[in-house]
Amino acid sequence: MPHITEIEDLKRIYRRRVPKMFYDYCESGSWSEQTFRENSSDFDDIYLRQRVAIDMTGRSTATSLIGQDAAMPVALAPVGLTGMQHADGEIHAARAAEKFGVPYCLSTMSICSIEDVAENTSAPFWMQVYTLKDDDFMQRLFDRAKAANCSAAVITVDLQLLGQRHKDIKNGLSAPPKLTPKSVANMMTKVPWGLEMLQTKRRFFGNIVGHAKGVEDPSSLATWTAQSFDQALNWDRIREFRKMWEGPLIIKGIIDPHDALEACNVGADAIVVSNHGGRQLDGALSSIRALAPILDAVGDKIEVHLDSGVRSGQDVLKAVAMGAKGCWIGRAYVYGLGAMGEKGVSEALRVIHKELDSSMGLCGRTDINEVDRDILLIPKGFSGDWQA
């Protein structure tokens, strides 16, 4: 195995190994990609305060997320089509998360089904759901998650309309993917990826095909997808979903303090400050800039996590120091998955943990739960001093 010292090492291998269609799906944002870029680059504006001559032994990154033990304040975010980045990708990612001791969240738009992941892992995982019109499908999805012993449900609320992603359109990336001569030719150059895909039976959307009404094969999936997302979504509708799920509930896709307060009112246990990785409203604030006003608004009413743009342990440390309980990583682990399967996801987690642990120590702290804003140098106006 090549020597992996940073997430970028995995990304380089990933780009060589995976078809362009699926690489671009991961490594792109909507429209001009401003928000996609700034999700990561805005972390660079925050500096860490180094301390010396402080006992840095006995460090611990262990914490809890919605009451569940975690080896570090990191969860693997729900990413659609993960099973096309690597054969049985969701299973590989869930196994790596289980072994490392961090939560894994399965996407509704996964290739492997809820049942597939449950059968191949032993730790409870989280289940992400979209806000769809079909009550019967939604209730059965929640019921399937309960039967699979999922320990939390995650409702994604920022996908009522689909932000245009130019690369996906040009590559024919849809549900299901529309193969073109160009994309097929590119796939044929990715021999190891292709051989692995030939050996698995899981190549379609396992949570939808055979479960949603009228979707018995991939050809009927596109129509169902186009008709199912609810543009009329409101907070009363989210309250209805809350009644369908009795366990811990996380609402993902919050980027405004007003919406954060609404999430508190519907009975969520946690929110995820997220702009969908820059794949929805381009020109929106990066998640790290949006974090502080949301924390100020909700206080201790709800647990706050952060998603979008996290590529390193230093990013995790900065977000936690600002007040987030934890961070969700998507692209960072997908790079590892596409590069090396389960081993690659484990490597991504190892790299992030080492960066987090070392950086925390060099800031003079030994317990991640005691990290606060005192270790940060945050520029004035970082979270906004906007003209009325």
Side-chain angles (χ1 to χ4, degrees):
M1 187 173 74
H3 199 57
I4 305 299
T5 62
E6 59 180 342
I7 294 298
E8 282 295 311
D9 291 335
L10 293 168
K11 183 179 176 182
R12 284 187 284 270
I13 301 170
Y14 166 58
R15 185 169 192 171
R16 293 196 302 268
R17 194 178 187 279
V18 173
K20 185 177 185 297
M21 173 184 285
F22 302 117
Y23 175 86
D24 284 349
Y25 170 76
C26 172
E27 196 60 14
S28 63
S30 62
W31 306 104
S32 73
E33 299 189 336
Q34 175 190 348
T35 301
F36 165 69
R37 294 188 300 271
E38 291 179 356
N39 274 334
S40 294
S41 65
D42 282 352
F43 276 99
D44 296 338
D45 292 338
I46 303 172
Y47 289 81
L48 295 168
R49 189 192 303 271
Q50 183 173 346
R51 299 295 305 277
V52 298
I54 295 174
D55 185 354
M56 298 177 186
T57 60
R59 296 183 306 281
S60 173
T61 61
T63 188
S64 65
L65 297 173
I66 58 166
Q68 299 179 29
D69 291 340
M72 61 177 170
V74 168
L76 268 57
V79 179
L81 288 167
T82 314
M84 299 307 292
Q85 305 288 358
H86 189 286
D88 299 334
E90 291 87 3
I91 293 171
H92 287 284
R95 283 175 172 170
E98 178 180 346
K99 291 175 183 177
F100 204 92
V102 296
Y104 171 75
C105 186
L106 180 69
S107 169
T108 294
M109 300 300 286
S110 59
I111 301 302
C112 299
S113 69
I114 303 169
E115 294 79 11
D116 289 332
V117 175
E119 289 171 5
N120 287 277
T121 56
S122 56
F125 56 94
W126 299 345
M127 182 65 210
Q128 176 268 341
V129 300
Y130 294 106
T131 53
L132 306 178
K133 298 176 184 177
D134 188 339
D135 276 0
D136 178 67
F137 176 79
M138 292 294 291
Q139 184 62 70
R140 286 188 290 109
L141 189 64
F142 283 123
D143 290 345
R144 290 168 60 203
K146 182 179 179 180
N149 198 31
C150 291
S151 54
V154 179
I155 299 180
T156 294
V157 294
D158 60 355
L159 209 71
Q160 288 170 261
L161 288 171
L162 192 65
Q164 181 165 305
R165 304 151 194 176
H166 302 326
K167 293 175 184 175
D168 286 352
I169 293 173
K170 292 172 181 175
N171 288 330
L173 200 288
S174 59
K178 298 174 183 177
L179 299 180
T180 65
K182 188 175 181 180
S183 63
V184 171
N186 179 257
M187 287 180 187
M188 292 176 67
T189 68
K190 312 297 181 180
V191 176
W193 175 89
L195 291 174
E196 289 166 359
M197 291 303 300
L198 287 173
Q199 294 175 38
T200 181
K201 61 183 179 181
R202 305 177 182 96
R203 302 190 194 95
F204 304 112
F205 294 89
N207 288 322
I208 298 172
V209 176
H211 294 282
K213 290 180 180 177
V215 185
E216 301 301 329
D217 54 61
S219 64
S220 55
L221 180 61
T223 301
W224 179 87
T225 302
Q227 296 175 347
S228 293
F229 284 84
D230 189 2
Q231 294 186 22
L233 176 71
N234 58 30
W235 289 102
D236 287 336
R237 178 64 172 154
I238 294 172
R239 287 184 177 88
E240 293 176 9
F241 295 140
R242 184 63 180 110
K243 294 176 183 177
M244 296 180 184
W245 175 260
E246 297 176 354
L249 180 71
I250 302 170
I251 294 183
K252 179 177 179 289
I254 302 296
I255 209 74
D256 184 271
H258 297 286
D259 291 333
L261 290 171
E262 290 285 2
C264 293
N265 294 334
V266 299
D269 297 281
I271 58 173
V272 186
V273 178
S274 170
N275 52 43
H276 216 92
R279 292 170 63 77
Q280 283 297 93
L281 177 60
D282 190 38
L285 278 183
S286 66
S287 291
I288 192 63
R289 286 192 191 273
L291 177 61
I294 289 174
L295 287 165
D296 292 342
V298 302
D300 59 1
K301 295 178 181 177
I302 198 167
E303 191 166 294
V304 178
H305 303 175
L306 180 133
D307 164 87
S308 302
V310 179
R311 301 289 190 275
S312 70
Q314 287 87 358
D315 293 343
V316 175
L317 182 63
K318 291 173 182 178
V320 170
M322 287 186 72
K325 182 64 174 173
C327 289
W328 295 31
I329 60 171
R331 292 179 174 96
Y333 92 77
V334 170
Y335 300 158
L337 178 68
M340 303 176 189
E342 181 181 330
K343 290 182 179 178
V345 179
S346 297
E347 280 295 291
L349 290 168
R350 180 191 63 79
V351 165
I352 287 175
H353 181 264
K354 183 174 183 179
E355 292 170 342
L356 171 62
D357 177 63
S358 299
S359 300
M360 180 178 70
L362 291 169
C363 289
R365 302 298 173 88
T366 58
D367 186 341
I368 193 65
N369 299 295
E370 295 177 0
V371 166
D372 57 23
R373 292 194 188 193
D374 188 56
I375 73 165
L376 301 179
L377 297 169
I378 305 173
K380 292 180 180 179
F382 177 75
S383 291
D385 184 13
W386 311 111
Q387 183 176 348

